[in-house]
């Protein structure tokens, strides 16, 4: 399956869910493994996708297998897992979906800075793009363990950064539109830069992030009705 693009809908799964059989799948990247060098090396990307992301896919499918319920979307799996407090499934499904969105947040070439209405919103919140990246780095430094840095917008169009821990996801939150996410688990960067998390966060948002996609999600998100929880 190829990764979904800029679409926003309650069932968006970013290529990680096969609706026909109700299972998670590993997505195909829309760029070559070498396309993100030097920020992300070929080995890092290969291991991240083929080892770590694959393990989450396998784990989620294994935990869903005994259930009689057939799921229609990745978000449905996550909301179901929350409702019955199935922590293992919530973690595996959350990591699988987070990674699917994370891959769509990358670009091999294109817009490397926010523009238009998204730029206005970011400048209003953080002063300018440098202020935004500084805030993202500072937020990432507050997390001792693993997690995710999110750029999100609320229903009024106000943007902010959010930090989630470990496998937690924001992609099932009906009141937020996720614009970008940066993986700050060590497997995202340690082969390239050892423990330099700050350098990784800066490199991701300044060189790899698909700001064209983020702008489309921001503008489309403002025009939609909130998803039902």
């Amino acid at each position: 399956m190829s990764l979904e693009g800029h679409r926003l809908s309650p069932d968006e799964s970013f290529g990680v869910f096969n609706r026909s059989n109700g299972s998670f799948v590993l997505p195909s990247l829309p760029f070559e493994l070498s396309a993100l060098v030097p920020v992300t090396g070929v080995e890092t990307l290969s291991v991240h996708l083929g080892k770590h992301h694959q393990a989450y896919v396998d784990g989620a499918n294994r935990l869903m297998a005994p259930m009689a319920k057939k799921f229609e979307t990745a978000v449905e799996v996550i909301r179901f897992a929350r409702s019955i407090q199935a922590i293992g499934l919530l973690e595996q499904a959350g990591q699988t979906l987070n990674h699917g969105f994370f891959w769509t947040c990358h670009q091999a070439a294109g817009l490397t800075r926010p523009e238009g209405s998204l730029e206005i919103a970011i400048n209003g919140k953080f002063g300018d793009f440098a202020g935004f990246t500084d805030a993202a780095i500072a937020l990432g430094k507050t997390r001792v363990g693993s997690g995710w840095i999110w750029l999100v917008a609320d229903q009024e169009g106000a943007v902010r950064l959010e930090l989630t821990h470990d496998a937690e996801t924001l992609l099932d939150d009906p009141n937020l539109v996720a614009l970008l996410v940066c993986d700050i688990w060590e497997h995202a960067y340690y082969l390239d830069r050892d423990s330099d998390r700050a350098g990784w966060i800066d490199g991701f948002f300044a060189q790899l992030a698909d700001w064209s996609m983020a702008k489309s999600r921001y503008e489309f998100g403002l025009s939609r009705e909130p998803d039902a929880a």
Side-chain angles (χ1 to χ4, degrees), residues 9-10 22 33 45 59 65 74-75 97 104 107 120 124-125 143 151 173-174 184-185 188 191 197-198 210 221:
S9 72
L33 290 178
L45 186 53
V75 165
L97 185 58
T104 70
Q107 56 153 353
I120 292 171
K125 175 67 174 179
R143 177 61 181 154
L151 175 63
D173 189 327
I184 58 170
W185 286 63
L191 290 177
R197 178 181 286 179
D210 187 345

Side-chain angles (χ1 to χ4, degrees), residues 190-202:
Y190 74 94
L191 290 177
D192 296 319
R193 58 184 75 241
D194 295 322
S195 60
D196 182 15
R197 178 181 286 179
W200 157 241
I201 296 170
D202 181 61

Side-chain angles (χ1 to χ4, degrees), residues 129-143:
F129 185 73
F132 163 76
T133 55
D134 287 346
I137 291 168
L139 185 61
K141 287 181 176 180
T142 68
R143 177 61 181 154

